[in-house]
Amino acid sequence: MKNEHRLYAKLTLDFGDSPKIAPLSDKAFRDFVLAILWSRRQMTDGFIPDAMKTKIFTKKSLNELLNNDLTNPSIKPCEGGFMIHDFTEHQTTKAQIQAKVEAGRKGGIAKSEASKHLAHAKDSLQQNSGTNLAKRESERESPPTGVKGTRIPELFPITPELRQWATKNTPGMDLETKHKKFLSHYQSATGDSAIKLDWNRAWQTWMLGDFDKQQSTKPQPIPIRTPADTRIQDLFCKEHNGWPANDCDRCREEQEVSA
């Protein structure tokens, strides 16, 4: 099989049947997939900057993706742009790619060193026909060729860089309490779940998850409706949020299906 150096995104076989994805229009579905592919290619870990908003989405498709779930829509606004929900849980992250590249680099160095040792062994065997020397050379261990994950370090403090990241991405979080919970979980965990390639990235993912839960449990203010609000809402479809009242493509599609 030909070795092609291309990047790939991951979509589950039931991706299109998800309760959040299935109701999307064809355009919104296509734009969402394009956003995933763009972020994967640019290695932004799910971040879509404002500069790319009009290049990837239309106003209608972006509105659908921002409102296809009450607590966890497919795309959420953030500072400087938008964030694809749970991107790092399903796609290969920049840190993982960098770790793989570094592993390949070290593997190449190890392979080069192994070749030098092998050439030296052959020269030695030609000069010395003793079987003991040949046996020692044949039993020599191969050098390591990859980077492996580790358990969480015994000392894993909240660095200034992590605090700065948290201030930007998870404002208002009780970092000290959440950090103690993170340490307790992974220090007592066993099996593959206790092994990570990048503990800083694992910490960030944990904080984002807790932040999402915290946001979803906040009491939502009850809006005060005014006559002006009522008139504006009358302009939109009562069945499909964000679609025009008298020109709703979703209503038209449902009528055609029922007919």
Side-chain angles (χ1 to χ4, degrees):
M1 181 177 180
K2 186 178 180 181
N3 183 21
E4 297 183 350
H5 298 285
R6 297 189 295 177
L7 298 179
Y8 296 86
K10 302 173 185 176
L11 297 177
T12 60
L13 296 180
D14 60 350
F15 173 75
D17 300 324
S18 165
K20 292 195 297 187
I21 302 302
L24 294 175
S25 65
D26 290 347
K27 177 60 175 171
F29 181 90
R30 182 178 187 274
D31 289 353
F32 185 44
V33 173
L34 288 177
I36 294 173
L37 296 177
W38 182 88
S39 180
R40 177 69 181 84
R41 184 171 64 253
Q42 301 299 325
M43 295 190 292
T44 64
D45 290 349
F47 176 68
I48 306 295
D50 282 328
M52 290 300 300
K53 180 174 68 174
T54 57
K55 297 182 182 296
I56 297 178
F57 308 103
T58 63
K59 290 183 179 180
K60 289 175 65 176
S61 67
L62 182 59
N63 186 66
E64 283 188 64
L65 294 166
L66 288 169
N67 294 280
N68 64 342
D69 189 83
L70 292 177
T71 57
N72 292 311
S74 295
I75 291 180
K76 291 184 176 182
C78 66
E79 184 177 350
F82 303 88
M83 183 66 69
I84 299 174
H85 180 64
D86 277 354
F87 183 92
T88 58
E89 295 295 320
H90 306 292
Q91 306 299 334
T92 305
T93 64
K94 181 178 180 180
Q96 291 170 335
I97 293 172
Q98 291 174 337
K100 186 175 181 180
V101 171
E102 180 65 13
R105 185 188 70 82
K106 291 182 177 179
I109 294 175
K111 185 176 181 181
S112 176
E113 292 297 321
S115 297
K116 292 178 181 179
H117 286 303
L118 181 59
H120 177 71
K122 288 181 178 179
D123 291 340
S124 298
L125 286 172
Q126 290 175 355
Q127 296 173 7
N128 190 334
S129 60
T131 57
N132 290 335
L133 177 60
K135 182 178 180 180
R136 288 198 299 272
E137 292 293 342
S138 64
E139 291 178 349
R140 179 176 295 171
E141 293 184 357
S142 299
T145 59
V147 174
K148 296 182 179 180
T150 63
R151 290 187 62 87
I152 189 169
E154 184 176 351
L155 296 178
F156 187 75
I158 307 178
T159 63
E161 291 76 15
L162 289 177
R163 289 188 184 276
Q164 183 178 2
W165 177 93
T167 300
K168 179 179 179 181
N169 296 278
T170 58
M173 286 275 285
D174 182 357
L175 285 186
E176 303 303 329
T177 300
K178 300 296 183 182
H179 183 67
K180 290 179 181 178
K181 182 179 176 182
F182 174 80
L183 291 178
S184 177
H185 175 82
Y186 282 109
Q187 287 173 350
S188 60
T190 60
D192 293 342
S193 64
I195 305 299
K196 303 293 181 185
L197 286 175
D198 186 338
W199 280 105
N200 284 342
R201 177 68 66 180
W203 187 90
Q204 292 170 352
T205 301
W206 178 282
M207 293 301 167
L208 285 173
D210 276 6
F211 183 72
D212 281 346
K213 293 177 183 177
Q214 178 176 299
Q215 294 299 105
S216 64
T217 56
K218 280 186 176 180
Q220 300 297 319
I222 301 175
I224 301 175
R225 294 177 58 81
T226 66
D229 294 331
T230 303
R231 290 196 298 272
I232 292 173
Q233 185 165 338
D234 289 342
L235 297 175
F236 295 93
C237 178
K238 294 181 174 56
E239 298 294 330
H240 305 103
N241 184 28
W243 293 78
N246 299 323
D247 188 24
C248 178
D249 292 340
R250 299 287 295 281
C251 286
R252 189 180 302 112
E253 291 173 359
E254 291 176 358
Q255 291 172 359
E256 292 175 355
V257 170
S258 61

